[in-house]
Amino acid sequence: MSTMQSFRNYFIWIIAFFVVSVILENALINDMYDPINGATNGNVTFTGSINTDLEVTVEEARATNVNGYLIVKVKNITGHYIDKCCAKIDLYTERNILAATKYVDISDFDVNQTKKFKINFKGNEIGSYAVSLQEDAPDKTYILDLFGFEVDIRNVFGMDLSSIINPESLKETGVNLWGLTLGFLKTVPAWAYLIAGGIVIWHMPKGFLFGIFPF
């Protein structure tokens, strides 16, 4: 068997292994998610007006022991344009303890318009949710979203770090570092990635990945 034929066979095996892995991984992840129940409330008090009911529907709510998601749909059936509004999602543990709160901006809401959004969350043993609406979201200037967890720098293990940490500069620094990293990776030529990949494959232990590697 020629070297080219061997490489082609290896390449086909790699692609097949990747496709099967993705399918099995998605199936396994979906099996890990269990449905969770909750309540919705479409009443919201706007400035200078009475409570107005919007149509709130949770199309899907599922969670594992460590994370989960909600797919929420809100329809403006009030008969008038809504300038400011946000959805509040409270997440409770199986012992009915408030574990986290998420806010989604749904301002600039036209009559009969429907807005649909997905909320991803992290939390241990989330068992239920409560979706409500309010006119304004709380000030989140000092709240940082770190890998799905919302951290208030005014209360980090009982310490107020707002006087020594500027949240805006911290966010800007993170964005700049990420941009610099992507910019650097784009400057690396394709042949460099191929050489690096070849080196990695060449040094793989014998019999790795069902005996496909090394060549």
Side-chain angles (χ1 to χ4, degrees):
M1 184 179 295
S2 66
T3 303
M4 185 60 67
Q5 289 177 327
S6 298
F7 180 79
R8 183 186 60 186
N9 291 338
Y10 294 148
F11 181 76
I12 294 174
W13 274 103
I14 292 173
I15 297 299
F17 178 78
F18 175 77
V19 172
V20 172
S21 298
V22 171
I23 294 175
L24 292 177
E25 180 182 6
N26 289 335
L28 179 62
I29 290 176
N30 288 333
D31 287 341
M32 293 172 61
Y33 282 92
D34 293 323
I36 58 175
N37 299 317
T40 61
N41 186 347
N43 291 330
V44 55
T45 302
F46 296 103
T47 303
S49 65
I50 60 174
N51 283 357
T52 305
D53 184 66
L54 288 83
E55 186 176 84
V56 181
T57 305
V58 177
E59 294 189 340
E60 191 172 357
R62 303 176 70 88
T64 67
N65 289 334
V66 295
N67 61 5
Y69 66 88
L70 275 77
I71 299 178
V72 184
K73 183 173 66 176
V74 182
K75 184 176 181 180
N76 182 6
I77 57 175
T78 64
H80 59 81
Y81 172 80
I82 297 177
D83 182 23
K84 294 189 301 179
C85 187
C86 77
K88 177 184 177 185
I89 298 92
D90 290 320
L91 301 167
Y92 297 89
T93 66
E94 294 177 353
R95 297 182 179 181
N96 202 31
I97 299 174
L98 180 62
T101 299
K102 299 281 187 178
Y103 294 90
V104 179
D105 183 22
I106 52 175
S107 300
D108 302 322
F109 214 170
D110 290 326
V111 177
N112 294 325
Q113 181 184 4
T114 298
K115 292 192 176 185
K116 186 175 180 180
F117 49 88
K118 182 178 181 179
I119 299 293
N120 295 301
F121 61 84
K122 294 183 182 293
N124 294 329
E125 298 181 350
I126 299 298
S128 62
Y129 62 84
V131 181
S132 58
L133 303 175
Q134 59 188 49
E135 184 175 11
D136 293 309
D139 184 10
K140 302 185 71 174
T141 303
Y142 295 99
I143 297 178
L144 303 180
D145 191 333
L146 301 176
F147 306 105
F149 293 94
E150 292 187 343
V151 179
D152 190 339
I153 63 174
R154 294 168 298 183
N155 184 16
V156 180
F157 301 110
M159 297 181 295
D160 185 356
L161 303 181
S162 59
S163 59
I164 59 177
I165 298 178
N166 187 328
E168 293 302 323
S169 63
L170 187 61
K171 294 177 183 178
E172 185 178 352
T173 300
V175 171
N176 290 337
L177 288 175
W178 179 247
L180 289 174
T181 303
L182 290 180
F184 171 76
L185 293 177
K186 290 180 180 179
T187 61
V188 178
W191 57 264
Y193 287 109
L194 292 175
I195 293 176
I199 294 174
V200 172
I201 292 175
W202 184 259
H203 287 85
M204 286 181 176
K206 188 174 181 180
F208 181 78
L209 199 59
F210 304 110
I212 296 176
F213 299 112
F215 293 116

